[in-house]
Amino acid sequence: IAGVFSTVAAGERIRHFETEIVRPDGLPIPVSLSLAPLIDGEGTILGSVIVARDVTEQHLAQATLAEIDARLEDDEALSHIGSWLWDLRTGAVQWSAEFHRIHAIDPLDFAGTFESYMDLISPLDSERVRAAMTESVHMSRPLDLEYRDVDADQKPRVVRVRAKPTLGSDGKAVGLRGVGQDVTDQAGQH
């Protein structure tokens, strides 16, 4: 922390430096410090201004979100149902770890775009899926369909997806949020 004070003494500002302070009862508290030099009219540094913000609630919220994410990932792996999101405004497609496993694609090999999603669907189904997803958004209706997917080993797989439109601040559909499951073993039983 001495380096932080010498940086401010040299005339520079520091925003949101995280550290801990210890209360008189010995309990450590995470704080975010913002520091700025206090300079007079001639440019002489007279001292510094320090604003400390208790970020305990923020840290607790982050830990809670991390725990929820871990539980969700575990639940998806146990149920073999993955989740996905398509944001029409940005074209971004986000998949959970389980949805990547269902499609047998490493997350680093997936570009995260609508087109990269369509590229993983069998050519026999891709136009039908593209049209259904687009119509679901434009008509603000739920989506429920199956498509064939072929992995790198050329093993056919049937994936069932269900989704609901996501709404923007104006109430109009701006994408889809859904789940998917490998139903290959069940596909021949319909």
Side-chain angles (χ1 to χ4, degrees):
I1 200 161
V4 170
F5 288 114
S6 52
T7 299
V8 174
E12 292 184 46
R13 301 182 121 195
I14 295 181
R15 295 175 190 234
H16 308 298
F17 174 78
E18 290 215 10
T19 187
E20 283 186 346
I21 60 171
V22 179
R23 291 187 343 187
D25 63 3
L27 183 69
I29 299 174
V31 293
S32 174
L33 301 176
S34 292
L35 303 95
L38 185 59
I39 303 171
D40 69 8
E42 280 94 50
T44 305
I45 297 174
L46 303 173
S48 59
V49 176
I50 302 171
V51 176
R53 186 171 59 95
D54 181 345
V55 291
T56 303
E57 292 296 322
Q58 180 181 341
H59 283 213
L60 289 173
Q62 288 170 335
T64 300
L65 285 174
E67 177 63 24
I68 290 169
D69 282 346
R71 286 182 187 178
L72 179 60
E73 190 170 327
D74 289 346
D75 291 346
E76 285 188 1
L78 287 169
S79 67
H80 302 295
I81 296 175
S83 57
W84 58 276
L85 171 71
W86 172 36
D87 186 335
L88 193 62
R89 297 166 294 191
T90 63
V93 173
Q94 297 175 352
W95 286 2
S96 68
E98 186 62 23
F99 208 60
H100 281 281
R101 282 191 284 278
I102 289 168
H103 285 84
I105 186 165
D106 186 298
L108 297 175
D109 295 332
F110 180 63
T113 65
F114 184 71
E115 290 308 316
S116 62
Y117 185 5
M118 294 298 108
D119 288 345
L120 296 172
I121 297 172
S122 167
L124 300 171
D125 295 333
S126 62
E127 285 309 312
R128 176 180 58 83
V129 172
R130 178 187 303 274
M133 289 177 70
T134 302
E135 180 181 343
S136 177
V137 171
H138 292 318
M139 302 299 287
S140 197
R141 289 190 194 147
L143 174 76
D144 187 349
L145 59 83
E146 290 182 0
Y147 57 82
R148 288 166 284 194
D149 175 14
V150 180
D151 67 18
D153 296 329
Q154 299 299 308
K155 288 193 231 170
R157 191 173 35 251
V158 178
V159 178
R160 181 173 187 187
V161 292
R162 292 181 178 178
K164 291 184 178 179
T166 54
L167 304 178
S169 58
D170 61 358
K172 292 183 181 174
V174 294
L176 294 172
R177 178 183 309 277
V179 295
Q181 183 176 27
D182 182 343
V183 294
T184 305
D185 295 337
Q186 303 158 12
Q189 301 171 8
H190 294 297

